[in-house]
Amino acid sequence: AQRVTQPEKLLSVFKGAPVELKCNYSYSGSPELFWYVQYSRQRLQLLLRHISRESIKGFTADLNKGETSFHLKKPFAQEEDSAMYYCALTDQTGANNLFFGTGTRLTVIP
Amino acid sequence: DTAVSQTPKYLVTQMGNDKSIKCEQNLGHDTMYWYKQDSKKFLKIMFSYNNKELIINETVPNRFSPKSPDKAHLNLHINSLELGDSAVYFCASSQVGGHTGELFFGEGSRLTVL
């Protein structure tokens, strides 16, 4: 069975400081991992996917199969980064089913 | 032109009642989902529907029944509501065969059972 773990429920950093949101997963197959973000009063939306190896809003995430991790990083946090972040994994069935971690609420302190 | 819309946004009701939450998407997607977010913000998949066929049901009580009149709609009907059903319910849609894992979510429907 698939599982996504985000060990930190809350994370606070100062503006301009580096930020890392941790995500670990367990999955018997070859995983596809994602980060979703929910800003205040907005919908949950895709931030980035590991397969694209992209940087979105300054965030990057590298899939580390050895450590089964997919941590989200940004070198310099901005106030507008404050949000709820969810790590997610798809089971790669035909249905695009996503399984989410418990989420981390990031607060960037001015 | 909202992509995924849910109604109602807020629903307060008594234990034992039956209620429905509606969801519509205008993205032309072929798969729709219902997720439940509990008080601890944990998001758990409940159902997904592809071409009117239920393809997943993750240990959800049979008091919950998804109903899809067409591929643009997936409604959630709940019978005999219990206190533990209080949560935020999110509808989502995606195009299978498109970008894997990219779901488009509605704003959520907050259900409170008294």
Side-chain angles (χ1 to χ4, degrees):
Chain A
Q2 62 286 320
R3 175 175 286 183
V4 179
T5 304
Q6 294 178 250
E8 304 145 325
K9 288 187 179 179
L10 302 170
L11 180 63
S12 295
V13 300
F14 286 100
K15 178 181 175 181
V19 61
E20 180 179 67
L21 292 90
K22 291 184 168 54
C23 173
N24 289 89
Y25 67 89
S26 62
Y27 181 58
S28 56
S30 182
E32 287 198 46
L33 285 136
F34 309 85
W35 278 98
Y36 274 74
V37 61
Q38 188 173 26
Y39 300 104
S40 178
R41 300 180 184 178
Q42 293 188 29
R43 299 160 189 259
L44 189 63
Q45 58 187 288
L46 177 66
L47 178 63
L48 55 79
R49 54 171 70 88
H50 94 267
I51 199 168
S52 299
R53 302 185 67 82
E54 58 203 344
S55 173
I56 303 293
K57 299 184 179 182
F59 284 98
T60 59
D62 292 321
L63 179 62
N64 186 323
K65 292 186 178 181
E67 296 183 356
T68 60
S69 68
F70 187 56
H71 303 327
L72 184 68
K73 300 177 183 179
K74 184 169 182 176
F76 307 104
Q78 302 299 315
E79 288 181 64
E80 56 266 30
D81 297 328
S82 294
M84 192 76 179
Y85 290 81
Y86 290 93
C87 183
L89 173 155
T90 181
D91 61 1
Q92 299 187 49
T93 64
N96 266 353
N97 295 320
L98 272 181
F99 298 89
F100 288 89
T102 48
T104 298
R105 181 171 295 282
L106 173 66
T107 301
V108 180
I109 304 166
Chain B
D1 53 342
T2 304
V4 182
S5 59
Q6 302 177 222
T7 54
K9 287 187 178 180
Y10 301 96
L11 183 57
V12 181
T13 188
Q14 300 283 337
M15 282 177 55
N17 285 349
D18 302 338
K19 291 293 178 184
S20 294
I21 304 172
K22 296 184 178 181
C23 178
E24 177 181 4
Q25 56 95 2
N26 63 6
L27 297 166
H29 288 164
D30 59 9
T31 305
M32 296 182 71
Y33 313 79
W34 277 104
Y35 280 82
K36 179 181 179 181
Q37 185 181 49
D38 62 22
S39 58
K40 297 181 179 179
K41 301 294 187 182
F42 181 50
L43 267 171
K44 184 175 181 180
I45 188 167
M46 301 177 70
F47 304 102
S48 62
Y49 246 77
N50 184 309
N51 291 326
K52 298 189 178 183
E53 182 181 357
L54 177 66
I55 52 178
I56 187 169
N57 180 336
E58 287 286 324
T59 64
V60 173
N62 57 16
R63 297 182 295 104
F64 291 79
S65 55
K67 298 189 189 302
S68 180
D70 55 62
K71 78 171 191 177
H73 296 83
L74 183 64
N75 303 325
L76 182 65
H77 189 75
I78 316 169
N79 290 325
S80 303
L81 279 157
E82 301 178 356
L83 292 176
D85 297 334
S86 295
V88 181
Y89 293 85
F90 287 94
C91 178
S93 72
S94 77
Q95 181 62 35
V96 173
H99 291 296
T100 303
E102 184 166 17
L103 271 59
F104 293 81
F105 283 84
E107 293 181 305
S109 298
R110 181 177 294 277
L111 171 66
T112 302
V113 182
L114 303 176

